[in-house]
Amino acid sequence: MNVEYINPFIAASQQVLKQAANIDIKLGKVYIKDVPYYIDQVVVIIGMTGAIKGQVNFCMSIDTAKEIASRMMGGWPIETFDEIVKSAIGEMANMIMGNTSTLFSEKKIKVDITPPSILVGRDMTMSTSNMVTICVPLMLDNGYKIDMDVAISE
């Protein structure tokens, strides 16, 4: 995988989380994940097709998902992980990937994305066949974290 492909994902994440939820992020140490890997509790999966193929998994805890949804709704308190939270984190991931696709198109790389799929559970593992998975830890300004796992090929 061309490591320069990671930069649009990072830029889009920073922009969307700031605009949609007023969340500033810092990057944790980027690393290659061994597969299969453990999923915290929630994962939003978005596929990519076109010049770049693969998927991006946004992995987080239930508390992180609730915090993001709350911030996206202007601080409205969220007590339970429900359909509103699922909708909010699905939309957040969709916006990040839409912005990422736009950044790729500016470089003349055509990419399409799939609608988000959301999985919730305990003791889940994820594996991407025949692709290296790069983990980009997004450290949110409130102590929460999203692991943005990028598994793509040209």
Side-chain angles (χ1 to χ4, degrees):
M1 173 195 319
N2 183 341
V3 293
E4 290 192 21
Y5 286 162
I6 297 299
N7 291 332
F9 294 96
I10 293 170
S13 297
Q14 289 171 322
Q15 181 182 26
V16 167
L17 285 166
K18 182 62 176 176
Q19 289 177 349
N22 197 28
I23 296 174
D24 291 313
I25 63 169
K26 290 188 173 28
L27 294 180
K29 184 178 179 190
V30 177
Y31 64 96
I32 296 174
K33 275 197 170 173
D34 293 327
V35 292
Y37 59 91
Y38 170 75
I39 303 292
D40 198 358
Q41 292 172 326
V42 179
V43 60
V44 181
I45 303 166
I46 297 185
M48 296 179 67
T49 61
I52 299 172
K53 296 167 185 44
Q55 70 184 35
V56 179
N57 304 321
F58 296 87
C59 306
M60 66 197 82
S61 70
I62 286 175
D63 287 341
T64 300
K66 290 190 310 186
E67 177 67 13
I68 290 168
S70 173
R71 301 274 293 265
M72 287 178 75
M73 294 187 290
W76 186 269
I78 305 264
E79 300 298 324
T80 59
F81 185 86
D82 57 15
E83 293 304 313
I84 292 172
V85 176
K86 289 179 191 175
S87 177
I89 62 169
E91 184 57 26
M92 173 214 59
N94 197 49
M95 290 166 47
I96 289 170
M97 292 303 293
N99 284 15
T100 301
S101 296
T102 299
L103 293 171
F104 278 124
S105 74
E106 291 170 358
K107 296 179 180 197
K108 308 292 187 235
I109 300 171
K110 180 161 175 29
V111 174
D112 290 313
I113 61 173
T114 66
S117 296
I118 301 170
L119 300 176
V120 181
R122 298 199 183 278
D123 298 322
M124 294 186 293
T125 57
M126 180 71 74
S127 181
T128 50
S129 60
N130 302 324
M131 286 184 271
V132 173
T133 300
I134 305 291
C135 179
V136 181
L138 305 174
M139 314 306 287
L140 283 57
D141 60 8
N142 50 16
Y144 292 105
K145 177 180 85 147
I146 301 170
D147 279 347
M148 181 172 58
D149 298 325
V150 179
I152 57 175
S153 64
E154 295 179 72

